[in-house]
PDB file of all heavy atoms in Angstrom:
ATOM      1  N   LEU A   1    -181.549  97.612 -54.476  1.00 94.00           N
ATOM      2  CA  LEU A   1    -181.105  98.611 -55.455  1.00 94.00           C
ATOM      3  C   LEU A   1    -180.258  99.674 -54.759  1.00 94.00           C
ATOM      4  O   LEU A   1    -179.245 100.122 -55.310  1.00 94.00           O
ATOM      5  CB  LEU A   1    -182.305  99.240 -56.167  1.00 94.00           C
ATOM      6  CG  LEU A   1    -183.078  98.318 -57.103  1.00 94.00           C
ATOM      7  CD1 LEU A   1    -184.311  99.032 -57.644  1.00 94.00           C
ATOM      8  CD2 LEU A   1    -182.198  97.799 -58.233  1.00 94.00           C
ATOM      9  N   GLY A   2    -180.654 100.060 -53.552  1.00 91.00           N
ATOM     10  CA  GLY A   2    -179.848 101.010 -52.786  1.00 91.00           C
ATOM     11  C   GLY A   2    -178.497 100.424 -52.414  1.00 91.00           C
ATOM     12  O   GLY A   2    -177.461 101.094 -52.524  1.00 91.00           O
ATOM     13  N   LEU A   3    -178.489  99.159 -51.987  1.00 91.00           N
ATOM     14  CA  LEU A   3    -177.237  98.480 -51.661  1.00 91.00           C
ATOM     15  C   LEU A   3    -176.334  98.412 -52.884  1.00 91.00           C
ATOM     16  O   LEU A   3    -175.136  98.697 -52.809  1.00 91.00           O
ATOM     17  CB  LEU A   3    -177.520  97.072 -51.135  1.00 91.00           C
ATOM     18  CG  LEU A   3    -176.297  96.177 -50.910  1.00 91.00           C
ATOM     19  CD1 LEU A   3    -175.361  96.767 -49.877  1.00 91.00           C
ATOM     20  CD2 LEU A   3    -176.761  94.786 -50.497  1.00 91.00           C
ATOM     21  N   LEU A   4    -176.915  98.070 -54.021  1.00 93.00           N
ATOM     22  CA  LEU A   4    -176.136  97.960 -55.250  1.00 93.00           C
ATOM     23  C   LEU A   4    -175.572  99.307 -55.668  1.00 93.00           C
ATOM     24  O   LEU A   4    -174.390  99.422 -56.012  1.00 93.00           O
ATOM     25  CB  LEU A   4    -177.022  97.377 -56.352  1.00 93.00           C
ATOM     26  CG  LEU A   4    -176.365  96.932 -57.634  1.00 93.00           C
ATOM     27  CD1 LEU A   4    -175.217  95.970 -57.369  1.00 93.00           C
ATOM     28  CD2 LEU A   4    -177.400  96.288 -58.537  1.00 93.00           C
ATOM     29  N   HIS A   5    -176.376 100.329 -55.587  1.00 91.00           N
ATOM     30  CA  HIS A   5    -175.944 101.683 -55.952  1.00 91.00           C
ATOM     31  C   HIS A   5    -174.782 102.128 -55.063  1.00 91.00           C
ATOM     32  O   HIS A   5    -173.736 102.570 -55.539  1.00 91.00           O
ATOM     33  CB  HIS A   5    -177.131 102.642 -55.841  1.00 91.00           C
ATOM     34  CG  HIS A   5    -176.841 104.021 -56.276  1.00 91.00           C
ATOM     35  ND1 HIS A   5    -177.148 105.113 -55.512  1.00 91.00           N
ATOM     36  CD2 HIS A   5    -176.255 104.503 -57.404  1.00 91.00           C
ATOM     37  CE1 HIS A   5    -176.756 106.208 -56.138  1.00 91.00           C
ATOM     38  NE2 HIS A   5    -176.218 105.863 -57.287  1.00 91.00           N
ATOM     39  N   ARG A   6    -174.938 101.989 -53.748  1.00 90.00           N
ATOM     40  CA  ARG A   6    -173.878 102.390 -52.815  1.00 90.00           C
ATOM     41  C   ARG A   6    -172.630 101.526 -52.976  1.00 90.00           C
ATOM     42  O   ARG A   6    -171.507 102.018 -52.900  1.00 90.00           O
ATOM     43  CB  ARG A   6    -174.379 102.333 -51.368  1.00 90.00           C
ATOM     44  CG  ARG A   6    -175.349 103.453 -51.017  1.00 90.00           C
ATOM     45  CD  ARG A   6    -175.710 103.469 -49.542  1.00 90.00           C
ATOM     46  NE  ARG A   6    -176.141 102.186 -49.003  1.00 90.00           N
ATOM     47  CZ  ARG A   6    -177.353 101.666 -49.115  1.00 90.00           C
ATOM     48  NH1 ARG A   6    -178.289 102.322 -49.787  1.00 90.00           N
ATOM     49  NH2 ARG A   6    -177.646 100.497 -48.572  1.00 90.00           N
ATOM     50  N   SER A   7    -172.823 100.239 -53.211  1.00 93.00           N
ATOM     51  CA  SER A   7    -171.681  99.339 -53.366  1.00 93.00           C
ATOM     52  C   SER A   7    -170.888  99.657 -54.625  1.00 93.00           C
ATOM     53  O   SER A   7    -169.654  99.621 -54.615  1.00 93.00           O
ATOM     54  CB  SER A   7    -172.152  97.880 -53.389  1.00 93.00           C
ATOM     55  OG  SER A   7    -172.758  97.540 -52.166  1.00 93.00           O
ATOM     56  N   GLU A   8    -171.573  99.971 -55.713  1.00 95.00           N
ATOM     57  CA  GLU A   8    -170.870 100.361 -56.947  1.00 95.00           C
ATOM     58  C   GLU A   8    -170.112 101.670 -56.729  1.00 95.00           C
ATOM     59  O   GLU A   8    -168.983 101.816 -57.192  1.00 95.00           O
ATOM     60  CB  GLU A   8    -171.844 100.488 -58.127  1.00 95.00           C
ATOM     61  CG  GLU A   8    -172.342  99.165 -58.677  1.00 95.00           C
ATOM     62  CD  GLU A   8    -171.360  98.429 -59.591  1.00 95.00           C
ATOM     63  OE1 GLU A   8    -170.174  98.820 -59.699  1.00 95.00           O
ATOM     64  OE2 GLU A   8    -171.783  97.431 -60.191  1.00 95.00           O
ATOM     65  N   GLN A   9    -170.720 102.615 -56.016  1.00 93.00           N
ATOM     66  CA  GLN A   9    -170.023 103.879 -55.705  1.00 93.00           C
ATOM     67  C   GLN A   9    -168.773 103.608 -54.870  1.00 93.00           C
ATOM     68  O   GLN A   9    -167.703 104.164 -55.136  1.00 93.00           O
ATOM     69  CB  GLN A   9    -170.941 104.822 -54.917  1.00 93.00           C
ATOM     70  CG  GLN A   9    -172.002 105.494 -55.718  1.00 93.00           C
ATOM     71  CD  GLN A   9    -172.914 106.344 -54.829  1.00 93.00           C
ATOM     72  OE1 GLN A   9    -173.076 106.097 -53.627  1.00 93.00           O
ATOM     73  NE2 GLN A   9    -173.525 107.343 -55.439  1.00 93.00           N
ATOM     74  N   THR A  10    -168.914 102.774 -53.857  1.00 93.00           N
ATOM     75  CA  THR A  10    -167.799 102.443 -52.980  1.00 93.00           C
ATOM     76  C   THR A  10    -166.690 101.743 -53.753  1.00 93.00           C
ATOM     77  O   THR A  10    -165.510 102.055 -53.589  1.00 93.00           O
ATOM     78  CB  THR A  10    -168.275 101.560 -51.811  1.00 93.00           C
ATOM     79  OG1 THR A  10    -169.268 102.261 -51.074  1.00 93.00           O
ATOM     80  CG2 THR A  10    -167.132 101.171 -50.894  1.00 93.00           C
ATOM     81  N   LEU A  11    -167.067 100.804 -54.618  1.00 95.00           N
ATOM     82  CA  LEU A  11    -166.079 100.075 -55.402  1.00 95.00           C
ATOM     83  C   LEU A  11    -165.360 101.018 -56.371  1.00 95.00           C
ATOM     84  O   LEU A  11    -164.129 100.951 -56.503  1.00 95.00           O
ATOM     85  CB  LEU A  11    -166.740  98.919 -56.150  1.00 95.00           C
ATOM     86  CG  LEU A  11    -165.812  97.999 -56.941  1.00 95.00           C
ATOM     87  CD1 LEU A  11    -164.716  97.407 -56.063  1.00 95.00           C
ATOM     88  CD2 LEU A  11    -166.633  96.888 -57.607  1.00 95.00           C
ATOM     89  N   ALA A  12    -166.093 101.932 -57.008  1.00 96.00           N
ATOM     90  CA  ALA A  12    -165.460 102.900 -57.919  1.00 96.00           C
ATOM     91  C   ALA A  12    -164.445 103.754 -57.169  1.00 96.00           C
ATOM     92  O   ALA A  12    -163.301 103.921 -57.622  1.00 96.00           O
ATOM     93  CB  ALA A  12    -166.525 103.777 -58.579  1.00 96.00           C
ATOM     94  N   ALA A  13    -164.840 104.284 -56.033  1.00 94.00           N
ATOM     95  CA  ALA A  13    -163.929 105.124 -55.241  1.00 94.00           C
ATOM     96  C   ALA A  13    -162.719 104.321 -54.765  1.00 94.00           C
ATOM     97  O   ALA A  13    -161.590 104.836 -54.754  1.00 94.00           O
ATOM     98  CB  ALA A  13    -164.672 105.726 -54.046  1.00 94.00           C
ATOM     99  N   SER A  14    -162.928 103.079 -54.420  1.00 95.00           N
ATOM    100  CA  SER A  14    -161.831 102.240 -53.949  1.00 95.00           C
ATOM    101  C   SER A  14    -160.874 101.883 -55.081  1.00 95.00           C
ATOM    102  O   SER A  14    -159.656 101.864 -54.885  1.00 95.00           O
ATOM    103  CB  SER A  14    -162.389 100.978 -53.293  1.00 95.00           C
ATOM    104  OG  SER A  14    -163.126 101.326 -52.128  1.00 95.00           O
ATOM    105  N   PHE A  15    -161.402 101.609 -56.270  1.00 96.00           N
ATOM    106  CA  PHE A  15    -160.532 101.379 -57.429  1.00 96.00           C
ATOM    107  C   PHE A  15    -159.671 102.617 -57.684  1.00 96.00           C
ATOM    108  O   PHE A  15    -158.472 102.510 -57.944  1.00 96.00           O
ATOM    109  CB  PHE A  15    -161.339 101.055 -58.687  1.00 96.00           C
ATOM    110  CG  PHE A  15    -161.632  99.591 -58.892  1.00 96.00           C
ATOM    111  CD1 PHE A  15    -162.939  99.156 -59.083  1.00 96.00           C
ATOM    112  CD2 PHE A  15    -160.618  98.653 -58.935  1.00 96.00           C
ATOM    113  CE1 PHE A  15    -163.224  97.817 -59.303  1.00 96.00           C
ATOM    114  CE2 PHE A  15    -160.885  97.306 -59.151  1.00 96.00           C
ATOM    115  CZ  PHE A  15    -162.199  96.881 -59.337  1.00 96.00           C
ATOM    116  N   ARG A  16    -160.267 103.799 -57.592  1.00 96.00           N
ATOM    117  CA  ARG A  16    -159.499 105.033 -57.807  1.00 96.00           C
ATOM    118  C   ARG A  16    -158.428 105.206 -56.725  1.00 96.00           C
ATOM    119  O   ARG A  16    -157.310 105.624 -57.006  1.00 96.00           O
ATOM    120  CB  ARG A  16    -160.418 106.242 -57.850  1.00 96.00           C
ATOM    121  CG  ARG A  16    -161.269 106.284 -59.089  1.00 96.00           C
ATOM    122  CD  ARG A  16    -161.922 107.633 -59.317  1.00 96.00           C
ATOM    123  NE  ARG A  16    -162.965 107.548 -60.308  1.00 96.00           N
ATOM    124  CZ  ARG A  16    -162.790 107.294 -61.603  1.00 96.00           C
ATOM    125  NH1 ARG A  16    -161.594 107.091 -62.072  1.00 96.00           N
ATOM    126  NH2 ARG A  16    -163.819 107.237 -62.429  1.00 96.00           N
ATOM    127  N   GLN A  17    -158.770 104.893 -55.484  1.00 94.00           N
ATOM    128  CA  GLN A  17    -157.815 104.989 -54.384  1.00 94.00           C
ATOM    129  C   GLN A  17    -156.612 104.078 -54.626  1.00 94.00           C
ATOM    130  O   GLN A  17    -155.467 104.479 -54.453  1.00 94.00           O
ATOM    131  CB  GLN A  17    -158.502 104.631 -53.055  1.00 94.00           C
ATOM    132  CG  GLN A  17    -157.598 104.664 -51.854  1.00 94.00           C
ATOM    133  CD  GLN A  17    -157.121 106.057 -51.507  1.00 94.00           C
ATOM    134  OE1 GLN A  17    -157.874 107.023 -51.623  1.00 94.00           O
ATOM    135  NE2 GLN A  17    -155.878 106.185 -51.115  1.00 94.00           N
ATOM    136  N   VAL A  18    -156.870 102.852 -55.039  1.00 95.00           N
ATOM    137  CA  VAL A  18    -155.779 101.906 -55.303  1.00 95.00           C
ATOM    138  C   VAL A  18    -154.962 102.362 -56.508  1.00 95.00           C
ATOM    139  O   VAL A  18    -153.730 102.264 -56.500  1.00 95.00           O
ATOM    140  CB  VAL A  18    -156.327 100.471 -55.474  1.00 95.00           C
ATOM    141  CG1 VAL A  18    -155.245  99.525 -55.981  1.00 95.00           C
ATOM    142  CG2 VAL A  18    -156.893  99.963 -54.146  1.00 95.00           C
ATOM    143  N   ALA A  19    -155.606 102.890 -57.526  1.00 95.00           N
ATOM    144  CA  ALA A  19    -154.876 103.401 -58.697  1.00 95.00           C
ATOM    145  C   ALA A  19    -153.894 104.481 -58.279  1.00 95.00           C
ATOM    146  O   ALA A  19    -152.721 104.459 -58.669  1.00 95.00           O
ATOM    147  CB  ALA A  19    -155.854 103.939 -59.739  1.00 95.00           C
ATOM    148  N   GLU A  20    -154.357 105.424 -57.475  1.00 94.00           N
ATOM    149  CA  GLU A  20    -153.490 106.520 -57.040  1.00 94.00           C
ATOM    150  C   GLU A  20    -152.416 106.031 -56.067  1.00 94.00           C
ATOM    151  O   GLU A  20    -151.264 106.456 -56.142  1.00 94.00           O
ATOM    152  CB  GLU A  20    -154.327 107.629 -56.395  1.00 94.00           C
ATOM    153  CG  GLU A  20    -155.298 108.300 -57.344  1.00 94.00           C
ATOM    154  CD  GLU A  20    -154.640 108.866 -58.597  1.00 94.00           C
ATOM    155  OE1 GLU A  20    -153.556 109.471 -58.496  1.00 94.00           O
ATOM    156  OE2 GLU A  20    -155.209 108.681 -59.689  1.00 94.00           O
ATOM    157  N   GLY A  21    -152.783 105.134 -55.170  1.00 92.00           N
ATOM    158  CA  GLY A  21    -151.843 104.668 -54.161  1.00 92.00           C
ATOM    159  C   GLY A  21    -150.766 103.745 -54.698  1.00 92.00           C
ATOM    160  O   GLY A  21    -149.712 103.593 -54.089  1.00 92.00           O
ATOM    161  N   HIS A  22    -151.044 103.114 -55.824  1.00 93.00           N
ATOM    162  CA  HIS A  22    -150.075 102.178 -56.412  1.00 93.00           C
ATOM    163  C   HIS A  22    -149.754 102.590 -57.849  1.00 93.00           C
ATOM    164  O   HIS A  22    -149.627 101.747 -58.735  1.00 93.00           O
ATOM    165  CB  HIS A  22    -150.608 100.746 -56.343  1.00 93.00           C
ATOM    166  CG  HIS A  22    -150.780 100.250 -54.948  1.00 93.00           C
ATOM    167  ND1 HIS A  22    -149.717  99.875 -54.151  1.00 93.00           N
ATOM    168  CD2 HIS A  22    -151.899 100.110 -54.182  1.00 93.00           C
ATOM    169  CE1 HIS A  22    -150.178  99.498 -52.964  1.00 93.00           C
ATOM    170  NE2 HIS A  22    -151.498  99.640 -52.956  1.00 93.00           N
ATOM    171  N   GLY A  23    -149.594 103.888 -58.038  1.00 87.00           N
ATOM    172  CA  GLY A  23    -149.302 104.438 -59.362  1.00 87.00           C
ATOM    173  C   GLY A  23    -147.994 103.946 -59.961  1.00 87.00           C
ATOM    174  O   GLY A  23    -147.814 104.010 -61.176  1.00 87.00           O
ATOM    175  N   ALA A  24    -147.097 103.442 -59.143  1.00 89.00           N
ATOM    176  CA  ALA A  24    -145.826 102.912 -59.651  1.00 89.00           C
ATOM    177  C   ALA A  24    -146.028 101.597 -60.405  1.00 89.00           C
ATOM    178  O   ALA A  24    -145.136 101.162 -61.123  1.00 89.00           O
ATOM    179  CB  ALA A  24    -144.842 102.708 -58.503  1.00 89.00           C
ATOM    180  N   GLU A  25    -147.172 100.977 -60.217  1.00 88.00           N
ATOM    181  CA  GLU A  25    -147.524  99.755 -60.950  1.00 88.00           C
ATOM    182  C   GLU A  25    -148.435 100.172 -62.103  1.00 88.00           C
ATOM    183  O   GLU A  25    -149.639 100.362 -61.915  1.00 88.00           O
ATOM    184  CB  GLU A  25    -148.266  98.768 -60.038  1.00 88.00           C
ATOM    185  CG  GLU A  25    -147.485  98.322 -58.829  1.00 88.00           C
ATOM    186  CD  GLU A  25    -146.449  97.270 -59.163  1.00 88.00           C
ATOM    187  OE1 GLU A  25    -146.570  96.595 -60.202  1.00 88.00           O
ATOM    188  OE2 GLU A  25    -145.498  97.134 -58.379  1.00 88.00           O
ATOM    189  N   PRO A  26    -147.881 100.341 -63.320  1.00 90.00           N
ATOM    190  CA  PRO A  26    -148.679 100.887 -64.428  1.00 90.00           C
ATOM    191  C   PRO A  26    -149.957 100.111 -64.729  1.00 90.00           C
ATOM    192  O   PRO A  26    -150.994 100.713 -64.991  1.00 90.00           O
ATOM    193  CB  PRO A  26    -147.726 100.850 -65.627  1.00 90.00           C
ATOM    194  CG  PRO A  26    -146.361 100.776 -65.049  1.00 90.00           C
ATOM    195  CD  PRO A  26    -146.498 100.087 -63.727  1.00 90.00           C
ATOM    196  N   ASP A  27    -149.908  98.786 -64.672  1.00 93.00           N
ATOM    197  CA  ASP A  27    -151.117  98.016 -64.960  1.00 93.00           C
ATOM    198  C   ASP A  27    -152.184  98.265 -63.902  1.00 93.00           C
ATOM    199  O   ASP A  27    -153.362  98.432 -64.230  1.00 93.00           O
ATOM    200  CB  ASP A  27    -150.808  96.518 -65.087  1.00 93.00           C
ATOM    201  CG  ASP A  27    -150.331  95.889 -63.785  1.00 93.00           C
ATOM    202  OD1 ASP A  27    -149.538  96.532 -63.059  1.00 93.00           O
ATOM    203  OD2 ASP A  27    -150.739  94.744 -63.495  1.00 93.00           O
ATOM    204  N   VAL A  28    -151.777  98.338 -62.655  1.00 93.00           N
ATOM    205  CA  VAL A  28    -152.729  98.585 -61.566  1.00 93.00           C
ATOM    206  C   VAL A  28    -153.328  99.979 -61.722  1.00 93.00           C
ATOM    207  O   VAL A  28    -154.548 100.158 -61.631  1.00 93.00           O
ATOM    208  CB  VAL A  28    -152.053  98.425 -60.188  1.00 93.00           C
ATOM    209  CG1 VAL A  28    -152.971  98.881 -59.060  1.00 93.00           C
ATOM    210  CG2 VAL A  28    -151.621  96.977 -59.980  1.00 93.00           C
ATOM    211  N   TYR A  29    -152.478 100.950 -61.996  1.00 96.00           N
ATOM    212  CA  TYR A  29    -152.951 102.328 -62.142  1.00 96.00           C
ATOM    213  C   TYR A  29    -154.006 102.430 -63.249  1.00 96.00           C
ATOM    214  O   TYR A  29    -155.118 102.912 -63.023  1.00 96.00           O
ATOM    215  CB  TYR A  29    -151.776 103.264 -62.424  1.00 96.00           C
ATOM    216  CG  TYR A  29    -152.204 104.691 -62.648  1.00 96.00           C
ATOM    217  CD1 TYR A  29    -152.516 105.507 -61.564  1.00 96.00           C
ATOM    218  CD2 TYR A  29    -152.330 105.217 -63.929  1.00 96.00           C
ATOM    219  CE1 TYR A  29    -152.931 106.814 -61.759  1.00 96.00           C
ATOM    220  CE2 TYR A  29    -152.749 106.520 -64.126  1.00 96.00           C
ATOM    221  CZ  TYR A  29    -153.047 107.319 -63.041  1.00 96.00           C
ATOM    222  OH  TYR A  29    -153.468 108.606 -63.233  1.00 96.00           O
ATOM    223  N   HIS A  30    -153.665 101.968 -64.433  1.00 96.00           N
ATOM    224  CA  HIS A  30    -154.562 102.153 -65.581  1.00 96.00           C
ATOM    225  C   HIS A  30    -155.808 101.266 -65.503  1.00 96.00           C
ATOM    226  O   HIS A  30    -156.919 101.741 -65.777  1.00 96.00           O
ATOM    227  CB  HIS A  30    -153.808 101.912 -66.892  1.00 96.00           C
ATOM    228  CG  HIS A  30    -152.791 102.966 -67.166  1.00 96.00           C
ATOM    229  ND1 HIS A  30    -153.118 104.271 -67.487  1.00 96.00           N
ATOM    230  CD2 HIS A  30    -151.433 102.933 -67.136  1.00 96.00           C
ATOM    231  CE1 HIS A  30    -152.027 104.986 -67.648  1.00 96.00           C
ATOM    232  NE2 HIS A  30    -150.981 104.201 -67.436  1.00 96.00           N
ATOM    233  N   LEU A  31    -155.635 100.022 -65.112  1.00 96.00           N
ATOM    234  CA  LEU A  31    -156.803  99.141 -65.036  1.00 96.00           C
ATOM    235  C   LEU A  31    -157.746  99.544 -63.913  1.00 96.00           C
ATOM    236  O   LEU A  31    -158.968  99.510 -64.089  1.00 96.00           O
ATOM    237  CB  LEU A  31    -156.375  97.690 -64.891  1.00 96.00           C
ATOM    238  CG  LEU A  31    -156.103  97.021 -66.231  1.00 96.00           C
ATOM    239  CD1 LEU A  31    -155.391  95.703 -66.065  1.00 96.00           C
ATOM    240  CD2 LEU A  31    -157.387  96.828 -67.003  1.00 96.00           C
ATOM    241  N   CYS A  32    -157.221  99.928 -62.772  1.00 97.00           N
ATOM    242  CA  CYS A  32    -158.097 100.353 -61.679  1.00 97.00           C
ATOM    243  C   CYS A  32    -158.892 101.602 -62.058  1.00 97.00           C
ATOM    244  O   CYS A  32    -160.075 101.710 -61.711  1.00 97.00           O
ATOM    245  CB  CYS A  32    -157.303 100.574 -60.394  1.00 97.00           C
ATOM    246  SG  CYS A  32    -156.872  99.032 -59.551  1.00 97.00           S
ATOM    247  N   ARG A  33    -158.274 102.518 -62.773  1.00 98.00           N
ATOM    248  CA  ARG A  33    -159.011 103.702 -63.228  1.00 98.00           C
ATOM    249  C   ARG A  33    -160.110 103.302 -64.224  1.00 98.00           C
ATOM    250  O   ARG A  33    -161.233 103.799 -64.143  1.00 98.00           O
ATOM    251  CB  ARG A  33    -158.061 104.726 -63.837  1.00 98.00           C
ATOM    252  CG  ARG A  33    -157.185 105.405 -62.767  1.00 98.00           C
ATOM    253  CD  ARG A  33    -156.188 106.385 -63.358  1.00 98.00           C
ATOM    254  NE  ARG A  33    -156.807 107.426 -64.156  1.00 98.00           N
ATOM    255  CZ  ARG A  33    -157.317 108.562 -63.684  1.00 98.00           C
ATOM    256  NH1 ARG A  33    -157.286 108.792 -62.388  1.00 98.00           N
ATOM    257  NH2 ARG A  33    -157.849 109.453 -64.491  1.00 98.00           N
ATOM    258  N   SER A  34    -159.798 102.394 -65.134  1.00 98.00           N
ATOM    259  CA  SER A  34    -160.803 101.924 -66.098  1.00 98.00           C
ATOM    260  C   SER A  34    -161.940 101.186 -65.392  1.00 98.00           C
ATOM    261  O   SER A  34    -163.115 101.370 -65.741  1.00 98.00           O
ATOM    262  CB  SER A  34    -160.162 100.997 -67.131  1.00 98.00           C
ATOM    263  OG  SER A  34    -159.273 101.703 -67.939  1.00 98.00           O
ATOM    264  N   LEU A  35    -161.601 100.377 -64.406  1.00 98.00           N
ATOM    265  CA  LEU A  35    -162.633  99.637 -63.681  1.00 98.00           C
ATOM    266  C   LEU A  35    -163.490 100.570 -62.831  1.00 98.00           C
ATOM    267  O   LEU A  35    -164.695 100.335 -62.661  1.00 98.00           O
ATOM    268  CB  LEU A  35    -162.003  98.528 -62.849  1.00 98.00           C
ATOM    269  CG  LEU A  35    -161.286  97.443 -63.673  1.00 98.00           C
ATOM    270  CD1 LEU A  35    -160.613  96.429 -62.752  1.00 98.00           C
ATOM    271  CD2 LEU A  35    -162.214  96.781 -64.653  1.00 98.00           C
TER     272      LEU A  35
END
């Protein structure tokens, strides 16, 4: 449960990082933020 909790946090932060870093790709930006 701890692994899952930390992994979901890490994945959320990483999706946000990719959204911001690849904002020129509208689908990547919006879908990564939603994910």
Side-chain angles (χ1 to χ4, degrees):
L1 291 175
L3 173 61
L4 191 53
H5 184 230
R6 287 186 310 279
S7 297
E8 286 282 10
Q9 285 177 334
T10 300
L11 184 56
S14 295
F15 271 126
R16 290 194 194 293
Q17 179 67 38
V18 170
E20 296 305 318
H22 296 285
E25 300 282 339
D27 66 320
V28 171
Y29 177 79
H30 291 291
L31 274 167
C32 282
R33 289 177 57 85
S34 293
L35 296 176

